[in-house]
Amino acid sequence: MNSTMPAAHGALRGRAAALGRLLVLTAVVPAELLLLAVVLGSFALWFGLGIFFLFPATTRLARTAAGLARACAGRWSGVPVPPPYLPRPALERTLHGWFWTGHDYQKNRWFANVSRTLRWLWKDPATWRDLLWVVLNPVVGGVLAATPPLLLATGVHTLARTVLPLPFPVPGLGPDFGLGLGTTPALPLGLALAVAGPALARPALRLHGRWTRLLLGPTERSRLALRVEQLTETRLEVTEAQAAELRRIERDLHDGAQARLVAVSLRLGAVAALIDRDPARAKTVVTETQENVAQALQELRDLVRGIHPPVLAERGLAEGLRALALDVPLRVDVRAELPGRAEAPVESALYYAVSEALTNAVKHAGARHAAVDLVHADGRLRAEVTDDGRGGADPGRGTGLRGIQRRLAAFDGTLTLVSPPGGPTRLTMELPCALSSPRTSTS
């Protein structure tokens, strides 16, 4: 019995919370009716008097209300509804000073912005779905939201009227509210209604969320447009990252190996001048030159390892992460279960993402222990990095996490961060990929 009590209390709290949310959704119906009146009035003024600027203002008002409805559907009903709007087209300026709106040319920037905004809102199917939601939701959404609270209120009222008589007689109104049921049938009816209201609260809330998603969710066209925009941004970020990486390699070669090779060339010239008249000094210069050559080779190895570690190419991602863990100045446990190998670019992206996560754990979190879990399931390669640092990581406060996001986004990957203040921090990185049979080294 003790184990069932918390579950019962949790169910009661859930039903009470659902009833409260439904009451809030019911209470905003008058505001939705006011919004409907504003929308209809603005369209009447637009088509009747030509006041066109009311259309963008009304549309933005409807989008704000629809955005709140999407947020409520996601947080209260558990039905996520992503924004469906098409991206705003860019305003391009020609060499002759005209502005291209995507449809026509305008000389004045203000008129160009107005033209672009009107056409963008008019041609976006989500605009009309929002306006349809404004028209229908006060009725459909209002009925869905109000039914369970009304059932509960009617049931409680019926029970109260059945048990407690009126303090003064009302002609034609008895304990059964004039339904002709009598006192005895009204009692089970009130009890049934009082129980049905809370029982239907959570299903009605989910149904309300699905109704919201039906009208306000993204269409296939908007999904494709948003996907194109995301891929365009990702391509730009990847291009910038590659350019920065090339500049880093060029700088490392110029300041490192190239400078040492120039020094080696100068020392060999000195050896040629000293070898006849001062063999001992020439031998010393040769020894120093050998040291410079060894240092240049080490720098080249480090540079190659930074581009693509040999252990990663030869032994795969799991062994590459284990080798990486040995170079990190904290204790790292690597647990990997991979039945095969991913493509080399995917392995490289996840390797450097884990490397950046471990670097952040050392530099910013002050961690002493970290764990890396690597698995492949459901067509996705997932790496989870956990550390016992101070937590509070935020992608908006640094470039490291944003760099990981950009690196993963190039392969349609995702980064999930859980980092409460005080720790622990958990980064989950996922990349869609298929594994091939394990490749072995030919050496």
Side-chain angles (χ1 to χ4, degrees), residues 337-356:
E337 298 178 5
L338 296 182
R341 293 283 302 272
E343 294 296 326
V346 174
E347 288 186 340
S348 178
L350 202 55
Y351 173 89
Y352 285 109
V354 172
S355 175
E356 181 67 30

Side-chain angles (χ1 to χ4, degrees), residues 1-135:
M1 179 176 294
N2 292 334
S3 61
T4 60
M5 290 297 291
H9 286 303
L12 289 176
R13 285 195 298 269
R15 292 173 181 174
L19 279 171
R21 291 165 178 172
L22 290 173
L23 284 173
V24 173
L25 294 174
T26 305
V28 299
V29 169
E32 294 175 351
L33 291 173
L34 179 61
L35 176 62
L36 174 60
V38 171
V39 169
L40 296 178
S42 66
F43 271 85
L45 291 174
W46 183 16
F47 290 106
L49 302 178
I51 308 178
F52 64 90
F53 63 84
L54 289 178
F55 175 69
T58 304
T59 302
R60 294 178 187 277
L61 186 62
R63 287 193 173 190
T64 301
L68 294 175
R70 293 187 192 94
C72 289
R75 296 176 183 175
W76 289 0
S77 304
V79 182
V81 186
Y85 306 112
L86 296 176
R88 182 198 295 260
L91 187 64
E92 301 177 3
R93 188 168 187 176
T94 66
L95 295 176
H96 302 289
W98 290 77
F99 295 94
W100 171 247
T101 66
H103 173 66
D104 56 4
Y105 289 96
Q106 297 286 340
K107 185 66 175 178
N108 183 274
R109 178 184 287 272
W110 185 85
F111 282 109
N113 276 320
V114 171
S115 175
R116 176 189 59 164
T117 301
L118 282 174
R119 184 173 177 81
W120 168 52
L121 295 175
W122 184 269
K123 293 182 69 67
D124 191 347
T127 298
W128 306 104
R129 289 163 65 88
D130 286 354
L131 296 177
L132 181 63
W133 173 84
V134 170
V135 174

Side-chain angles (χ1 to χ4, degrees), residues 417-429:
L417 172 66
V418 178
S419 183
T425 296
R426 179 180 294 107
L427 279 81
T428 303
M429 296 162 278

Side-chain angles (χ1 to χ4, degrees), residues 303-321:
L303 183 62
V304 170
R305 188 180 297 112
I307 298 173
H308 194 78
V311 66
L312 183 63
E314 295 173 2
R315 300 186 181 181
L317 182 58
E319 294 302 323
L321 292 180

Side-chain angles (χ1 to χ4, degrees), residues 307-381:
I307 298 173
H308 194 78
V311 66
L312 183 63
E314 295 173 2
R315 300 186 181 181
L317 182 58
E319 294 302 323
L321 292 180
R322 290 190 177 98
L324 174 66
L326 298 176
D327 295 333
V328 178
L330 76 161
R331 187 164 59 92
V332 181
D333 297 329
V334 179
R335 298 181 289 269
E337 298 178 5
L338 296 182
R341 293 283 302 272
E343 294 296 326
V346 174
E347 288 186 340
S348 178
L350 202 55
Y351 173 89
Y352 285 109
V354 172
S355 175
E356 181 67 30
L358 293 176
T359 301
N360 290 340
V362 175
K363 292 175 57 178
H364 307 296
R368 293 177 296 177
H369 176 261
V372 179
D373 293 284
L374 187 66
V375 296
H376 183 270
D378 300 327
R380 300 184 70 84
L381 184 60

